[in-house]
Amino acid sequence: MKKVSPKFKSLAAKLLYWFAANARDLPWRRTRDPYAVWISEIMLQQTQVKTVIPYYERWMQSLPTIQDFAKAKPQRVLKLWEGLGYYRRVRLAQDAARLIMTKHSGSFPESFDEVVALPGVGRYTAGAICSIAFNQPTPILDGNVIRVLTRLLGIAGNPRSKTVNAELWRAAEELVIASGAPSPLNQGMMELGALICLPRQPKCPICPLRPDCFALRNQRVEDFPATAKRPAATLRRFIALVVKDGERLLVQRRPNGVVNAGLWEFPNVEVPVNAKDLKKLIPPFQITDRSRFIEIRHSITRYRIILEAYNAKLSSNSLLAETNSVWKTQAQMSKLPFTSAHRKVMQRTIHLQA
Ligand code: ADE
């Protein structure tokens, strides 16, 4: 066992005291079921707490056990995830659920090494599961914890660089060991980052670690964490084609092995950002109404994406086979998992028809 420094013991005690009084009542905090903790952590990887809550609750009602998840049809799983984005997370999670069924006889593994070996589970998520579900002193380090630790301890340098990152993991580990209470300590770190130690305008006057904070003492709170230069975002432009036949619309399923695999969308093509004449770019489709009826802008990883939707037709019905698209009614479409951007196109289409 590592030696515990009095400084870290004192920090941990203050944080635990604060967390006991200030923890939000979040649905995944009412359980220690490792399956539930795991699902919540996967959902929370790239998504905010308030967005995750309804998804988590719906998920646990629909698929309350690992067995249910392992057996579920991928389309059902994607439908439950629809709108959360980063769909690779849920595909890897289902691989993990199946692995738990075959390799671990259906019970969630408890050792850190076995947990971190599951598909889609990295050091952070394994640390969160082992500490929250099993109360093991495994550290966690995410954006919130990085902010707290760099400010508290005055850790300079890019927190994603190898040396600084290793220093941060060591500090997180020392703190969780010093606490003697891994589950609330780690959750307290997350909570402090989410409620008090905010990226901008942190609430230092009410912070429980105020007397100990390096950055505050030196009036340098805004200097931490050091920000790495991000590569400039790449702009990409897509044209979606809304083709109607009475009640039915043409839609297609994204193939396996591409981003957003298995999700549904309107037929669409990527075009040069500045393209003016779309005619040559979109066969076998023809735009029937030159004014686009919706434009959606969103970002995913390092791409800024513009999706423009137009009413269109097939230049000849015999060309349908070329498009990989199929006709679906609105009722059928509502049961399929759509990407968020294309779901907005669909809602606008329905709205305009009504
Ligand atoms: N962010 C990541 N994991 C979390 C958790 N368990 N509770 C609140 N926010 C989180």
Side-chain angles (χ1 to χ4, degrees):
M1 192 76 173
K2 283 196 183 125
K3 211 167 134 261
V4 170
S5 85
K7 176 181 166 187
F8 275 63
K9 248 190 143 144
S10 153
L11 289 173
K14 288 178 195 177
L15 189 58
L16 289 172
Y17 187 80
W18 175 84
F19 183 65
N22 292 282
R24 286 170 294 176
D25 176 24
L26 302 175
W28 48 88
R29 290 193 175 150
R30 298 183 200 144
T31 176
R32 295 208 136 196
D33 173 6
Y35 167 64
V37 172
W38 169 50
I39 294 299
S40 71
E41 289 300 336
I42 301 285
M43 288 182 170
L44 287 159
Q45 273 170 4
Q46 270 110 344
T47 313
Q48 292 185 344
V49 165
K50 70 171 192 303
T51 307
V52 165
I53 291 172
Y55 280 92
Y56 170 84
E57 290 186 323
R58 206 161 47 115
W59 182 287
M60 294 310 297
Q61 267 168 15
S62 308
L63 303 171
T65 67
I66 300 176
Q67 286 84 339
D68 297 319
F69 181 19
K71 283 191 315 217
K73 291 212 173 78
Q75 287 281 300
R76 180 167 174 226
V77 168
L78 277 174
K79 186 71 193 166
L80 285 167
W81 205 269
E82 181 187 45
L84 275 179
Y86 299 97
Y87 298 90
R88 208 173 98 86
R89 290 184 284 181
V90 72
R91 277 191 295 279
L92 290 173
Q94 193 167 40
D95 292 344
R98 292 180 175 149
L99 208 95
I100 292 169
M101 296 310 295
T102 52
K103 201 169 141 208
H104 301 285
S105 330
S107 41
F108 205 95
E110 293 194 18
S111 83
F112 178 87
D113 290 344
E114 284 174 323
V115 176
V116 82
L118 295 170
V121 175
R123 188 171 173 191
Y124 166 81
T125 304
I129 295 168
C130 289
S131 60
I132 297 172
F134 306 127
N135 208 31
Q136 295 170 16
T138 47
I140 56 161
L141 190 69
D142 67 351
N144 279 337
V145 178
I146 286 173
R147 210 162 48 248
V148 172
L149 289 177
T150 53
R151 288 174 177 170
L152 180 66
L153 304 173
I155 297 177
N158 175 3
R160 311 268 168 205
S161 77
K162 213 169 162 196
T163 48
V164 177
N165 200 249
E167 185 181 354
L168 286 163
W169 276 106
R170 274 197 303 277
E173 183 172 27
E174 196 174 341
L175 205 54
V176 75
I177 291 172
S179 73
S183 173
L185 186 283
N186 278 350
Q187 294 188 71
M189 291 286 281
M190 297 173 183
E191 204 72 344
L192 197 72
L195 301 182
I196 305 284
C197 198
L198 306 173
R200 277 173 300 280
Q201 300 180 345
K203 300 182 177 171
C204 302
I206 56 167
C207 178
L209 306 183
R210 180 184 164 76
D212 309 283
C213 182
F214 174 93
L216 183 62
R217 195 160 53 245
N218 292 282
Q219 298 185 324
R220 290 181 52 203
V221 173
E222 306 281 341
D223 290 352
F224 296 94
T227 44
K229 280 186 224 72
R230 280 179 192 271
T234 305
L235 194 59
R236 298 176 68 176
R237 180 182 177 207
F238 292 80
I239 306 297
L241 302 147
V242 179
V243 184
K244 291 182 192 141
D245 173 31
E247 282 290 288
R248 302 183 309 165
L249 292 160
L250 265 192
V251 287
Q252 61 194 27
R253 183 183 173 278
R254 292 181 63 82
N256 293 339
V258 303
V259 69
N260 290 341
L263 278 98
W264 288 74
E265 61 185 11
F266 290 95
N268 63 91
V269 274
E270 182 165 11
V271 299
V273 172
N274 297 321
K276 291 230 164 31
D277 184 8
L278 299 176
K279 259 199 221 90
K280 291 204 182 70
L281 300 169
I282 58 170
F285 298 100
Q286 282 174 354
I287 288 173
T288 52
D289 177 354
R290 277 168 54 98
S291 54
R292 61 178 174 258
F293 67 86
I294 187 170
E295 178 182 301
I296 293 154
R297 289 171 181 256
H298 63 110
S299 291
I300 179 159
T301 60
R302 59 185 201 83
Y303 298 111
R304 268 176 45 219
I305 294 174
I306 304 177
L307 175 69
E308 296 165 33
Y310 291 86
N311 286 316
K313 63 176 187 181
L314 275 169
S315 40
S316 150
N317 276 339
S318 62
L319 294 171
L320 182 61
E322 272 183 30
T323 69
N324 296 320
S325 305
V326 289
W327 295 107
K328 296 275 183 194
T329 63
Q330 278 170 26
Q332 289 169 325
M333 283 164 62
S334 69
K335 297 202 183 85
L336 300 171
F338 267 68
T339 65
S340 292
H342 285 260
R343 164 106 13 228
K344 284 185 195 147
V345 173
M346 180 167 95
Q347 276 156 356
R348 174 59 67 92
T349 306
I350 293 166
H351 176 74
L352 290 178
Q353 277 176 345

